[in-house]
Amino acid sequence: MLLHRSKLVASLLIVLLLYQFNAYGFEDVDKARSEGREIVFIDGDSITEGAYFWHLVDKYPQLQKYSNPVQLLNQISIDNNLNIYFKSLAPGGLCSVRIIVEKKIIKENDAIVLQDAGQHPQDIKTYQAILLRNRYVVHNPYAGGLPGLKLFFTTTYDEKPDEVPGLPQNASWSVPIEGGVTMNQVIMKVAMEKSKDVPSAGVIDVDHAFKKAKRILKVHNIELLVGDRVHYNVLGNVIFAKAILEGLGYYPKNYKAMANKIYRLDNIEGVLLKGRVSIISLEEMNEIMKKIFQNKLLE
């Protein structure tokens, strides 16, 4: 009975996702593909969807273009004349990956970046199985996968969210889930693990990128995360986007374009400032963006 119910729930979820995907549309992907641009799908969760900003966008419409990393990825690509288009998959997870593969929405030369594998389990074996299943669905031709598809896993940065009241411990990538091992460590191990059936995945170490960014931006006394210590603020979205581009082999240099766009956002609900009263000036934002864009965050 329980097995039957689980299969029924899974079937209903897939039907719901298909409906949402059809409603969401991929006309923008078709257009970008016809223009000869590289297509990269970002499969993530509330972080890549900019969930923290949902309650703020209606009040502050100017936040809309900066509310999630995928929008910023496309803005940075335009500002730097990069021939690449990013598409968010919402909601993310294994079902979304399976659908775009089976419906042939994703093509052989595209790339897919998996920021989150979906449900965060408490045991390592279950999480490893989820990650490996993503690799199998994407790459194994006998399952409808595409062997030539570029697949990347990312780590995720957070700051001890187990200490945040009301936030479950398994919402974290840095807090050990079993035997001192974190989800980030499992992600890196499974992505590079050799298999006779499918190639290894690449790893984009977003956790390392954030830690490096915090070091080079320390003097500015600003934040990269919001109050729950998991979700990114606007500058955190920029760090994530820069790390993804580096992981794909792109190194944008036009920091002034992004500085000009976001330097006044710091007075909105404290989305940038940390323990300071003065608003960030354009000159300081230029300095901040210069450090972000002229440093390789993944090194």
Side-chain angles (χ1 to χ4, degrees):
M1 178 63 73
L2 287 176
L3 181 60
H4 176 73
R5 185 175 298 173
S6 298
K7 289 182 177 180
L8 178 61
V9 170
S11 299
L12 289 173
L13 178 59
I14 290 175
V15 170
L16 178 63
L17 283 168
L18 280 170
Y19 173 80
Q20 183 165 341
F21 267 48
N22 289 331
Y24 204 45
F26 289 89
E27 294 83 2
D28 54 336
V29 174
D30 295 335
K31 182 176 183 296
R33 202 188 301 282
S34 70
E35 296 168 348
R37 297 163 72 183
E38 180 181 355
I39 307 298
V40 179
F41 292 90
I42 305 291
D43 183 74
D45 58 4
S46 57
I47 289 176
T48 56
E49 288 302 300
Y52 171 77
F53 291 100
W54 292 347
H55 71 290
L56 292 174
V57 167
D58 289 341
K59 188 176 180 181
Y60 305 102
Q62 63 268 46
L63 275 174
Q64 178 66 51
K65 293 182 179 180
Y66 317 101
S67 61
N68 71 63
V70 180
Q71 293 194 69
L72 277 173
L73 277 162
N74 282 318
Q75 288 194 59
I76 293 171
S77 298
I78 292 170
D79 291 340
N80 290 270
N81 298 313
L82 303 179
N83 197 33
I84 184 169
Y85 183 75
F86 292 88
K87 178 69 173 180
S88 175
L89 298 178
L94 181 57
C95 288
S96 297
V97 174
R98 181 181 294 137
I99 287 170
I100 66 169
V101 171
E102 292 180 353
K103 301 281 284 186
K104 301 189 185 306
I105 295 169
I106 195 166
K107 307 298 183 183
E108 184 78 27
N109 294 319
D110 294 346
I112 181 166
V113 176
L114 300 179
Q115 181 269 328
D116 189 15
Q119 181 182 2
H120 301 173
Q122 295 287 359
D123 64 284
I124 293 173
K125 288 185 178 180
T126 300
Y127 198 55
Q128 286 177 325
I130 293 172
L131 294 171
L132 286 170
R133 183 61 179 165
N134 274 290
R135 281 179 56 188
Y136 182 82
V137 167
V138 167
H139 277 144
N140 195 308
Y142 299 105
L146 301 169
L149 189 67
K150 296 182 284 291
L151 173 64
F152 299 86
F153 287 94
T154 80
T155 59
T156 299
Y157 176 77
D158 52 43
E159 295 176 352
K160 297 186 179 300
D162 57 321
E163 298 176 0
V164 178
L167 192 69
Q169 180 174 339
N170 66 343
S172 168
W173 289 262
S174 61
V175 176
I177 55 175
E178 183 184 2
V181 179
T182 68
M183 286 198 292
N184 275 340
Q185 291 170 326
V186 176
I187 287 168
M188 297 184 77
K189 178 180 182 296
V190 172
M192 296 182 286
E193 193 172 273
K194 292 184 178 180
S195 168
K196 65 178 181 180
D197 297 318
V198 293
S200 300
V203 175
I204 301 176
D205 196 352
V206 171
D207 179 59
H208 175 81
F210 267 79
K211 289 173 180 174
K212 182 168 183 178
K214 281 176 68 70
R215 291 195 300 271
I216 65 177
L217 299 176
K218 185 177 180 179
V219 67
H220 297 281
N221 198 23
I222 55 177
E223 280 284 10
L224 301 178
L225 303 181
V226 297
D228 64 11
R229 318 315 301 153
V230 174
H231 293 93
Y232 309 152
N233 63 19
V234 174
L235 283 179
N237 286 341
V238 174
I239 300 300
F240 179 90
K242 178 65 161 43
I244 296 301
L245 285 165
E246 286 188 24
L248 295 172
Y250 293 90
Y251 298 91
K253 299 295 184 182
N254 187 358
Y255 64 89
K256 289 186 178 181
M258 187 55 59
N260 285 329
K261 289 173 180 175
I262 71 172
Y263 85 96
R264 288 182 176 170
L265 297 179
D266 63 317
N267 64 341
I268 299 176
E269 304 282 337
V271 296
L272 300 182
L273 295 180
K274 176 184 179 182
R276 54 186 281 173
V277 178
S278 60
I279 302 301
I280 296 176
S281 65
L282 178 57
E283 291 74 22
E284 185 178 8
M285 184 57 76
N286 268 309
E287 184 180 350
I288 290 170
M289 287 298 155
K290 186 175 182 179
K291 289 177 178 177
I292 292 173
F293 279 75
Q294 293 191 350
N295 279 277
K296 293 183 177 179
L297 299 181
L298 296 183
E299 288 187 349

